[in-house]
Amino acid sequence: MAADVPASVLPPPPRLALPQASAVPGAGTVVIRQTARRALRSAVLWGYVSGLSVASTALSYAATYTTTAQREHLAALFGTNGGTNAIAGPGYELQTLAGFTVWKSLMFVTVAGAVWGLLLSTKLMRGEEDAGRWELLLAGETTPRRAASQGLAGLAVAWCIFFALTAVITVVVGHSSKVRIAAGPALFFSLALACGAAMFFAAGALASQLAPTRHRAASYAGTALGVAFVLRMVADSGTGLTWLRWVSPLGWVEQLQPLTSPRPLALLPIGGLVVVLCLLTVHLAGRRDLGASIIADRPSADARVRLLSGPAGLVVRLTRATLTAWIVAVALTALLMGLIAKSGGSALSASSGIEHLTSRLGVSGAGAAAYLGIASLIMAVLLTFVSAGQLSATRGEEAEGRLENVLVRPASRSVWLAGRLSVTTVALVLLGLATGVFFWLGAVTQDSGVGLPRLLAAGLNVVPPAIFVLGAGTLAFGIVPRATSAVAYSVLAWSILVEVVGAAVTTNHWLLDTSLFHQMAPAPATGADWTTNIVLTAVGVVAAVLGAVAFQRRDLAGE
Amino acid sequence: MPRPVIQTWGLSKRYGDVKALSALDIEVEQGEVVGYLGPNGAGKTTTIRLLLGLIRASAGRAEIFGVDCQRRPVEVHRRLAYVAGEANLWPSLTGAETLHLLGRIQGSVDTAYRDELVERFDLDPSRKVRAYSRGNRQKVILVAALMTRPELLVLDEPTAGLDPLMEQEFRHCIREARERGQTAFLSSHILSEVEALCDRVGILRDGRLIEMGTLAEMRHLSALSVEATFDGPVPDLAGVVGVSSVRVNDGVLRCNVYGPVQPLLKRLATARVRELLSREPSLEELFLAHYGNGHEPERDPVRGG
C-alpha cells in the first residue's frame, strides 16, 4: 500500500475515540505540592529557630545593657575584634540594640539556614529521584525540566514559610516598647536572615543535577558552603582582605547591613546567584536522563572486599567517607579557632559586660582559654550533629530494607546495632581528639599559652554530649523507630536553643539544665567536669542498652 | 518419621485491629517444594517475615528445623536462605562485593557454584548495585541465597523483575535444589511457576489458609471444565446435578461440573453434539475460583456426588 509515497505525505494515524479521561485537578503541580509538603515541617521549625534567635538576642540586650556606658563599652570591644568577627561577622553600630542583634544573629541564622537549605533540597531533589519516586511522576505528562522547575517551586514555598515565620516574629518583637524596630527595617532584616537558606536551596538543587547520589550532592553543596564560610572568615578576621567579602555569598549577606545602614543593592548578587543556579538546575535537568547525573558515576569498580567481612566492617565501609569528611571539617574548624583564640580572647578580658554574658554560658576568665571555651561549645554542637546523622543512617538501613539482608543471615540484631554504635563512638572520640590537637596546633602558633594536655582534655570534654544524643536516639530507635531522627535532632535543636537563646534571657536553672551544652563545662575556660561527663556518658550508654533490648523485641519497620 | 522442616501452630499476627495472619497451621516436610499463593495483602509476606523472625508473632509459634524461629533466629538462619521480592542492597557496593559480604555473613559459600550461578544468570558482578536494573539486583540476591547451598530456601516472589529466560533459569535451579533434597517455601504470584515447581500448594485469603494440598487433590475438589459444540439447538441444563456456570454462545456451551459427569452426559446426549472438550482446571482457574466472584469460592448449590 502506497509503497512509493514518501512517509511525510501520509497522514498521521487517526486519534482514537477513547472515553475521555477527566483531568485530575492539580495534576500539573503534583511535584510542587509533594515537595512543599515534605519540606513543611522543617521550614516551620527553622522559621521558629531563626525568629526566636532574633527575639531572644534583642530582648536580652534590652534587659542587660541598660546604660549608654555599658553599650559603648560592648561596642568598643567587639567592633574591632578580628577573633570574634571571624566567627560572627563584622559588627556595625554595636552600641545600639539593632546593631548588636544583627551582629549576634545574622551569621548564625544564615549559616544554619544554608545547612538546612542544602540538606533539604538535595534530599527532596536528588533523594526523591534516587528513591525512584520521580519516575512515577515523570511517567505522566511531566518532562524532567518541568519536574525540576516544580521541585524548585516547592522549595520556594518552603522558603516562603521559613521567611514568613522569621518575619512575623521579628516584626512582632520589633513592635515591643523595649526593642522598637519599625516594620520596614524588620522585614528587610528578616529577608537578610533568609538569604542563606535561599542561596543554598538553589545550590543544593544544582548539586542534585550534578551529583550521582544525594549524599554526593549534599557534599558538593556543603563544600561550597565551607569555602564561602572560610572566605568570609578570612575577610572578617582583620587581615586587611575585606574585599574578599564580595567573593563569598555569605559576605554578600553581611553587606546587606540590615537595621544599621541597609544596602539593598547587595541583594542583587544574592538574587542573581539564586536565579542563575535555578536556571542552570532546570537546564541541566533536561540534559540528563532520569537517575543519571552530569558528573558521571563509574558504573563498575574493582571489588574491594577487605572491610566486607561482617556487619561491623560493612558499617566502616559505608560511613568512612562521611566520617572522614567530618574529621577534616572539625580539624579545620578547630585549627581556625585555635589561630584566632588569642585575639578573640582579648575581647573577653577585663570586661564586666561581656563577662556577664559569657558567664551565663558558663565561661569565666578571659584570654585564649576563655575563647576556646566558647569554641568548644561550637565543637560539641558539631559532634552531636555527627551522632544524630549516624542515627539517621542507622534507621535508614532498616527503613529502606537493606538491614534485612544482614538479619536474615546468621547475624543477630544486637551484634549489628553494637557494630554501628561502636563505629560512631570511635569516630566521636577521634573527633574529640582532633578538636584538642587542632586547637593546640592553632593556638601554639600564636603563643596563646594554653598547653596540649589542657586542650586534649577540652577536646575529649566535647564528646559526652554527643554520646548522650547517640544513646537517646538509640532508645528512640528501639521503641519508636520511625521517630529516631526526630528525637535525635530535637534533643540537639532544643539544647542549642536553650544554650544560645535561653542563656541570654533567663537564669532559670531548671530550664537551662535541660540543655546538654549547659551541662558541659566549657573547657579549657574552666576545667573539664569529669563527674558530669561520666554521668552524661553513663546515661547515654544505659539508654543505648535499653534501646538495643527494645530493638531485639520489636518488629522490623519500613518507612 | 523426622520432624517437618517448617511447622507452625496457630501462628498469628495483628497490626492494631487488622489481622494480617490468623492462626496459621502449616507443615513443610523435608525435600518438598511448597507453593504459597494469595492475592496482595493476604498475609504471604507476613508469614515469611514471622518465619524469619523479622517480626514478632502476636500468638502461636513457629519452628524451623525444630528450632523456635522467633526466639532463636540466628540458629535457624545458619541453615536457610531467603530471597525477598525486592532487592534492597547497598547502592555503592558492586555485585561482587555484595556477594562477598553476604557470603561472609552467612559463613559458608560454595564458591564454584557461586561462579556458575553468576554465569548462568548472566550477571556482571563488577557493576555497582546503583547501576543495576531491578532484574539484575534480583539476580544478586538469588545468587546470594543459592550459593550457600541452604537446607531450606524461603522465597518471597523471588522472580519479580526477571525476564522469561532468567525465570526459566530460576526454575532449573529450584529443581536442582529439590533433587539434592533441599526444601523450598515459595510464595508467588506467578501461577505457572508454582504449577511447574511445587509439590504442594497452600492458598491464603485475608490472613487465613483456606486450602492446602497437592495440585491433584485440589483439582479433585474443583470443577471440571466442559465445552460442547452443537449442530442444532443447545439443550437446557437446568436442574442437572453438579453443573454450574453455564454460558451459551453461538451454539457453543461452556459449563463447570463438580462430581460425577454422568448426569451431564445424559442430558447432552439428547442433542446433536459435534465436539466435546473437557479438561481439568489450571491452577489459575483454581485460584480464580477461590478469589473470583466477590471473594467467594464458586460452588454449585445443586452439588452432585
Side-chain angles (χ1 to χ4, degrees), chain A residues 90-91 109 210 226 244 247 271 291 316 348 409 461:
Chain A
V109 171
L210 299 175
L244 269 178
V247 180
V316 176
L348 303 174
R409 294 185 162 78
N461 186 52

Side-chain angles (χ1 to χ4, degrees), chain A residues 507-527:
Chain A
T507 48
N508 180 342
H509 264 270
W510 290 105
L511 176 68
L512 293 177
D513 282 347
T514 62
S515 166
L516 280 176
F517 308 118
H518 198 77
Q519 299 293 338
M520 185 189 123
T526 65

Side-chain angles (χ1 to χ4, degrees), chain A residues 212-213 216 297-311 314 317-318 397 400-413 551-558, chain B residues 13 15 49 52-57 74 77-78 80 82 84 88-94 96-98 100-107 124-128 130-131 141 144-145 148:
Chain A
T213 62
R216 205 89 73 79
D297 187 29
R298 279 174 51 215
S300 300
D302 293 332
R304 288 169 296 138
V305 296
R306 196 168 48 86
L307 290 170
L308 299 176
S309 54
L314 174 67
R317 168 75 185 262
L318 294 175
E397 286 287 285
E400 285 154 34
R402 292 184 294 272
L403 173 58
E404 276 177 30
N405 295 300
V406 176
L407 295 189
V408 298
R409 294 185 162 78
S412 74
R413 295 188 185 193
F551 174 52
Q552 193 74 26
R553 288 158 191 232
R554 72 165 166 83
D555 292 354
L556 284 200
Chain B
K13 180 67 183 175
Y15 292 103
R49 292 172 73 79
L52 292 167
L54 294 176
I55 53 176
R56 300 289 161 217
V74 172
H77 293 168
R78 285 209 176 90
L80 66 76
Y82 161 65
N88 296 308
L89 297 166
W90 298 274
S92 58
L93 302 189
T94 66
E97 287 169 342
T98 307
H100 176 90
L101 170 74
L102 297 180
R104 288 297 290 269
I105 298 177
Q106 186 65 45
D124 175 359
S126 70
R127 287 178 79 78
K128 288 184 186 164
R130 186 181 299 124
I141 59 169
T148 62

Side-chain angles (χ1 to χ4, degrees), chain B residues 47-174:
Chain B
T47 307
I48 287 179
R49 292 172 73 79
L50 285 167
L51 291 176
L52 292 167
L54 294 176
I55 53 176
R56 300 289 161 217
S58 309
R61 66 195 181 89
E63 283 183 1
I64 294 182
F65 307 120
V67 176
D68 188 320
C69 36
Q70 291 267 306
R71 285 161 193 242
R72 287 147 70 195
V74 172
E75 213 169 305
V76 171
H77 293 168
R78 285 209 176 90
R79 296 165 67 185
L80 66 76
Y82 161 65
V83 178
E86 197 178 346
N88 296 308
L89 297 166
W90 298 274
S92 58
L93 302 189
T94 66
E97 287 169 342
T98 307
L99 291 176
H100 176 90
L101 170 74
L102 297 180
R104 288 297 290 269
I105 298 177
Q106 186 65 45
S108 62
V109 176
D110 180 340
T111 47
Y113 187 48
R114 176 193 66 199
D115 297 342
E116 182 196 322
L117 287 167
V118 166
E119 189 88 3
R120 280 168 67 179
F121 279 106
D122 195 20
L123 182 71
D124 175 359
S126 70
R127 287 178 79 78
K128 288 184 186 164
V129 167
R130 186 181 299 124
Y132 279 138
S133 66
R134 182 171 178 215
N136 277 321
R137 285 202 289 270
Q138 198 64 25
K139 290 178 194 173
V140 174
I141 59 169
L142 270 172
V143 173
L146 292 165
M147 72 183 185
T148 62
R149 304 272 198 197
E151 291 168 63
L152 169 65
L153 280 158
V154 179
L155 309 162
D156 190 4
E157 301 182 21
T159 54
L162 290 192
D163 66 40
L165 282 176
M166 292 303 134
E167 152 99 38
Q168 284 303 319
E169 203 52 62
F170 164 76
R171 292 186 191 183
H172 284 310
C173 290
I174 298 303

Side-chain angles (χ1 to χ4, degrees), chain A residues 78-111:
Chain A
F78 284 114
T80 55
N81 186 279
T84 44
N85 287 359
I87 293 177
Y92 304 101
E93 300 180 28
L94 291 183
Q95 72 282 14
T96 64
L97 180 145
F100 186 78
T101 304
V102 170
W103 180 69
K104 192 81 193 303
S105 53
L106 183 59
M107 198 39 61
F108 166 68
V109 171
T110 299
V111 172

Side-chain angles (χ1 to χ4, degrees), chain A residues 396-458:
Chain A
E397 286 287 285
E398 183 194 9
E400 285 154 34
R402 292 184 294 272
L403 173 58
E404 276 177 30
N405 295 300
V406 176
L407 295 189
V408 298
R409 294 185 162 78
S412 74
R413 295 188 185 193
S414 39
V415 165
W416 171 79
L417 187 60
R420 284 216 75 113
L421 294 176
S422 325
V423 170
T424 307
T425 307
V426 169
L428 289 172
V429 172
L430 287 178
L431 285 163
L433 290 173
T435 300
V437 169
F438 283 86
F439 267 169
W440 178 73
L441 282 176
V444 81
T445 58
Q446 307 292 313
D447 268 339
S448 305
V450 194
L452 181 61
R454 216 170 137 199
L455 288 174
L456 274 181

Side-chain angles (χ1 to χ4, degrees), chain B residues 20-21 36 38-48 204-208:
Chain B
L21 192 67
Y36 203 49
N40 296 330
K44 304 191 297 292
T45 299
T46 301
T47 307
I48 287 179
L204 204 60
R205 193 180 69 194
D206 296 336
R208 287 181 182 284

